[in-house]
Amino acid sequence: RLLRPLSAKLLAPTLPEREGWVERDRLFGFQGRTRKPQMALAAELGIEDYPAPAGGCCFLTDPAYGRKVTDLWRHRDKDSLTWEDYMLLKVGRHLRVGEDLKVIVGRDESENDMLVRMRGGRLLMEVEGVPSPIVLVDAPEETLSDEKLRVAARIAARYSDGRDGGVPLKVRVENGDAVWRLEVQPFRNEDTNRWLIT
């Protein structure tokens, strides 16, 4: 039933076209990255106030985002997913460490701020004493063993500015009101690269 009026002529007729609800000859066949045809149509219709035209803005067409959605569907009950779960896929590096453990690492200050705001009930980690990303641990609380927490802490340390110092780093862990610290050796790039979803 989905009708794409700007590119309909490039596609097979949809149910609304076949049923005569819309006239196919009034639809368009725009394609490519240029937005000139849409801008010309807007001018023809007298529309002057519209957002800056851009291509590639739909996350569903982004292969990296698609991989994260697929991973989410494989490891979570689809009926339990929320809008926030999908929005979180747009932020940070996502590492799938195990069936029930995913780690999300902020890539810059704005992503760190977003991760703090989108934390929900997730565990939060940050390396102390050096510039560090915010890291969220996405896992059912009942599955979080000491070993899994240390793996997540080592990932946080790997992406901090202290990773090359050759010494263990202190990672601050927050779970609700509870706060504690883990001292860990950072992973190396090759250790964490195997877990990257994107």
Side-chain angles (χ1 to χ4, degrees):
R1 295 175 187 271
L2 181 63
L3 176 69
R4 294 179 171 87
L6 298 181
S7 60
K9 289 183 178 174
L10 301 172
L11 307 166
T14 60
L15 178 69
E17 295 167 82
R18 291 192 310 269
E19 292 292 320
W21 302 343
V22 296
E23 298 174 30
R24 185 170 174 88
D25 61 344
R26 297 185 65 194
L27 303 175
F28 297 91
F30 297 161
Q31 65 179 330
R33 295 184 59 84
T34 181
R35 295 296 172 252
K36 289 179 183 174
Q38 291 94 315
M39 293 166 69
L41 178 61
E44 182 183 323
L45 297 173
I47 300 170
E48 296 175 358
D49 184 24
Y50 54 87
C57 61
C58 178
F59 277 96
L60 294 176
T61 64
D62 178 357
Y65 186 79
R67 285 191 295 273
K68 289 188 270 190
V69 169
T70 301
D71 174 78
L72 185 66
W73 289 350
R74 282 187 185 138
H75 296 93
R76 291 270 302 276
D77 174 25
K78 289 182 190 175
D79 292 334
S80 73
L81 296 174
T82 65
W83 177 250
E84 287 76 20
D85 290 317
Y86 290 104
M87 293 302 290
L88 189 58
L89 298 180
K90 296 167 29 174
V91 183
R93 291 179 182 90
H94 290 239
L95 295 91
R96 172 60 62 188
V97 180
E99 282 297 311
D100 54 6
L101 177 61
K102 183 168 77 167
V103 177
I104 305 164
V105 182
R107 290 179 282 213
D108 56 34
E109 188 175 350
S110 66
E111 286 196 347
N112 285 344
D113 292 342
M114 287 183 72
L115 288 177
V116 170
R117 286 195 310 271
M118 300 172 76
R119 174 184 179 182
R122 296 172 186 87
L123 214 106
L124 184 144
M125 294 184 171
E126 185 175 12
V127 179
E128 293 187 328
V130 295
S132 166
I134 293 295
V135 171
L136 296 185
V137 180
D138 194 6
E141 191 164 352
E142 65 274 10
T143 69
L144 281 174
S145 63
D146 287 342
E147 180 185 351
K148 287 178 181 175
L149 288 175
R150 293 189 72 78
V151 167
R154 291 186 69 192
I155 290 170
R158 177 264 179 263
Y159 285 103
S160 77
D161 284 3
R163 66 184 165 267
D164 298 323
V167 296
L169 299 172
K170 283 190 179 166
V171 179
R172 184 175 190 273
V173 184
E174 290 181 23
N175 188 11
D177 293 332
V179 176
W180 68 96
R181 284 152 186 82
L182 295 171
E183 192 168 74
V184 296
Q185 195 70 37
F187 276 125
R188 298 167 300 165
N189 286 359
E190 54 268 29
D191 296 326
T192 56
N193 286 347
R194 62 193 162 123
W195 293 321
L196 277 172
I197 301 170
T198 180

